Amino acid sequence: MQRTATFLWHLVPTATLAIALALVSPGVLRAQDAGTTSETTAGVTPPRRIVISLTERRLHLLEEGRPPRSFPVAIGRPGVAIPLGDSRVLRKRRNPIWHPTANQRRENPALPVSVPPGPSNPLGKFALDLGWTAIAIHGTNEPDSVGRRASGGCFRMLPADIAALFEMVPVGTPVRVVSGSAVLPSPQPAVAVAAAASSPPIPAPPPKVAPPLPILPDPRCATAGAPLRRMICTVPDLAALDGRARGLHQRHLAALPAERRDAAAYALLQEERRFDDRITARCWVRRGMEEDPAVAAAAEACLRDALSVRLEEAKRR
């Protein structure tokens, strides 16, 4: 029992930092990876395709006759080579097993030979293996990394998003990775465009004015005791940044199908806890010292930067 606890103690931080790669080579399936779907019959054209934009850090699912669907992804961290060009989904794995590479295990001998399905698995609950060796679209046990340059070359998705994508795309779906912005098809079919061209011109509707960002106050403000949280609640511009991020999170949840809402709400809760941990470490103020003008100014500047980044991440969802 003591040896098992020691192993798990080493596993949690290393699994967080390890590159979550789908280490099944294109032609070989591991017998222990349950729930695997292998390649489709050659010559069958899948009805959907995937375009991943590194600039946008988003995955776009395209399907003829339907508007594109878009999801945030984590891409390779700085210094890591990221594949570009065309590939396809070679196989789908439900509850995948993570197999660290030989190089990873040489760099970190504490890594196990494999990590079974569960909360410590860096691949999450679903993986779509691509044609590039050891590259996959998969979930993650670190949802806070999604939208960032954080992976070892794979494309991480939020748990609810990869669950939805896993059900929507078949094996054989084409995948294209582009460095710039994705070129998405027009939502209006070509036939409709031709018909419109032969009709009398219709006056353009007035431009839509984007609704103001909703501001949702933090319910903890009434009882906030930590100096940094009290500062966010009482400094108007900090409270506005925090409230706008919360409002966008709620708008995002409300737009999701009911079956995905609980998982997304849990992911946002975990993200908020990690955000509080980060500002506590970066913007630390000793209790009682927030009345010092110099200390308060430094803490407010630190919080303003952290909240601005959080708001931009909320806008990209």
Side-chain angles (χ1 to χ4, degrees):
M1 177 63 72
Q2 184 176 0
R3 292 180 59 189
T4 303
T6 302
F7 166 75
L8 291 174
W9 185 86
H10 286 289
L11 175 59
V12 171
T14 53
T16 301
L17 297 175
I19 294 80
L21 300 176
L23 299 173
V24 184
S25 58
V28 180
L29 283 176
R30 296 183 183 270
Q32 60 266 52
D33 288 341
T36 300
T37 305
S38 58
E39 299 187 27
T40 55
T41 306
V44 176
T45 303
R48 298 177 175 89
R49 58 192 177 96
I50 290 171
V51 178
I52 300 174
S53 165
L54 303 185
T55 298
E56 300 169 352
R57 299 178 195 173
R58 297 194 76 83
L59 180 150
H60 303 279
L61 177 63
L62 310 180
E63 182 180 7
E64 187 175 357
R66 297 191 62 176
R69 280 165 282 188
S70 179
F71 308 91
V73 294
I75 64 173
R77 64 182 183 273
V80 171
I82 306 174
L84 289 172
D86 295 315
S87 185
R88 62 193 178 100
V89 176
L90 285 187
R91 60 186 62 85
K92 299 167 60 173
R93 290 185 290 153
R94 192 185 301 270
N95 296 319
I97 296 174
W98 179 54
H99 304 277
T101 64
N103 286 336
Q104 287 173 317
R105 297 188 65 211
R106 278 194 294 269
E107 293 172 0
N108 187 353
L111 286 176
V113 175
S114 64
V115 177
S120 297
N121 191 312
L123 300 181
K125 295 183 178 180
F126 303 94
L128 304 174
D129 297 320
L130 305 182
W132 295 296
T133 301
I135 298 294
I137 301 167
H138 60 76
T140 179
N141 63 344
E142 285 293 321
D144 193 45
S145 68
V146 174
R148 302 177 180 272
R149 299 193 62 181
S151 79
C154 287
F155 305 101
R156 302 178 186 172
M157 299 182 67
L158 292 171
D161 289 346
I162 186 61
L165 185 70
F166 190 89
E167 299 301 329
M168 287 189 286
V169 301
V171 171
T173 298
V175 177
R176 172 169 292 179
V177 179
V178 298
S179 58
S181 299
V183 179
L184 304 180
S186 169
Q188 186 178 19
V191 174
V193 172
S198 62
S199 302
I202 300 175
K208 292 184 179 180
V209 178
L213 293 179
I215 298 179
L216 187 68
D218 185 351
R220 299 173 296 175
C221 283
T223 57
L228 292 173
R229 180 51 58 182
R230 287 203 308 271
M231 197 171 291
I232 291 174
C233 291
T234 56
V235 177
D237 65 325
L238 299 183
L241 287 170
D242 185 60
R244 288 190 179 97
R246 292 176 184 279
L248 287 175
H249 288 158
Q250 288 302 313
R251 177 189 288 178
H252 169 70
L253 288 177
L256 292 176
E259 64 271 15
R260 294 175 53 195
R261 202 167 294 148
D262 288 344
Y266 178 75
L268 285 174
L269 177 63
Q270 296 297 100
E271 179 182 317
E272 182 170 4
R273 290 173 178 170
R274 282 188 289 270
F275 174 77
D276 286 346
D277 290 342
R278 287 200 303 273
I279 63 172
T280 300
R282 289 178 51 194
C283 311
W284 179 78
V285 175
R286 186 187 299 275
R287 188 180 297 273
M289 290 295 292
E290 63 268 31
E291 301 301 326
D292 185 314
V295 172
E300 286 180 21
C302 179
L303 288 172
R304 191 171 292 106
D305 289 343
L307 289 166
S308 297
V309 171
R310 186 181 182 214
L311 178 58
E312 290 304 313
E313 291 173 348
K315 290 177 181 178
R316 291 197 297 266
R317 287 189 181 277

